[in-house]
Amino acid sequence: MIKLVELFCDVDDFCKVFIPQWEKQLLEDGTQKRQRAGRMTTSEIMTIVISFHMSHHRDFKNYYLGYVSLMYKSEFPNLLSYTRFLAVMPRILVPMCAYFTSLKGKPTGVEFIDSTCIKVCHNIRIPRHKTFDGIAQRGKGTMGWFYGFKLHLIVNHHGEIVAAKVTTGNVHDTQPVRELASCLTDKLYGDKGYLSKALEADLLDKGVKLITTVRKNMKAKAMSLWDRAMLSKRFIIETINDQLKNISFIEHSRHRSMNGFMLNLVAGLVAYCLKENKPHLNLTDVELNALVIA
């Protein structure tokens, strides 16, 4: 786990570059007027939120009051009350998204795509759920019906997140692929949920070969041994989705606003990006060169 001081230094270095440019843009387009600085800096607030998602805690209130306030009072001399901290958290959503963008991995030619459901409430509570009423939608995944959103990810063989997009739960997995794959260069591996001749043709025109498994009632595809081997390695992105939910804690049912939901999700993605030991495939240079030739 990355140390708190190291995390703060990395976040602060980013904010020193990003925040002045962002505030200048807000002033120029009239979105925001000049405001005095708060007691806690953006870097400090971001550090605490990210560290929560790296801590294995499941309740931010207990983490803030029972851990940060007691253990790191000297590191954060201007620490706010819990209620005030919640009030200022939404202002870090844009910097957090920009920070995540700076941490994303680069395409390697071996990428995997998958989606995972982000439930916002239990199915029996859907009729009386108010926070995301009119925003979240019902969808169906491998584990059945759910109410909420979908997180679509593309990762490389190093286990790094290359692209990410959030949609409502009723959006088909194939819809965001063209946008997500715009930065890719070679092969993209997915499950049978991404079967689409039109999508495959569109990606091929852009230099990306979409390779998927087939359904039981379909004829087997002719493909190289390499592609068959890579399809069998799709567990890497499934492992990443599992870690995002159970370690980075991107999914829970206690959200009170859309901003809170998005901040929780992006902070969890950032926490994963900062992990030292990510799930990865041990592909040698010889194997990667063979991929280029193939």
Side-chain angles (χ1 to χ4, degrees), residues 133-165:
D133 187 27
I135 304 175
Q137 298 291 335
R138 294 176 190 251
K140 189 175 184 180
T142 55
M143 302 301 291
W145 290 94
F146 70 95
Y147 180 72
F149 302 88
K150 279 185 180 181
L151 174 63
H152 305 263
L153 290 180
I154 291 181
V155 304
N156 60 26
H157 74 276
H158 297 303
E160 300 168 333
I161 297 175
V162 175
K165 185 177 179 64

Side-chain angles (χ1 to χ4, degrees), residues 180-196:
L180 289 170
S182 60
C183 62
L184 304 187
T185 56
D186 201 346
K187 294 188 177 182
L188 178 63
Y189 298 93
D191 61 17
K192 56 182 176 290
Y194 294 93
L195 278 169
S196 169

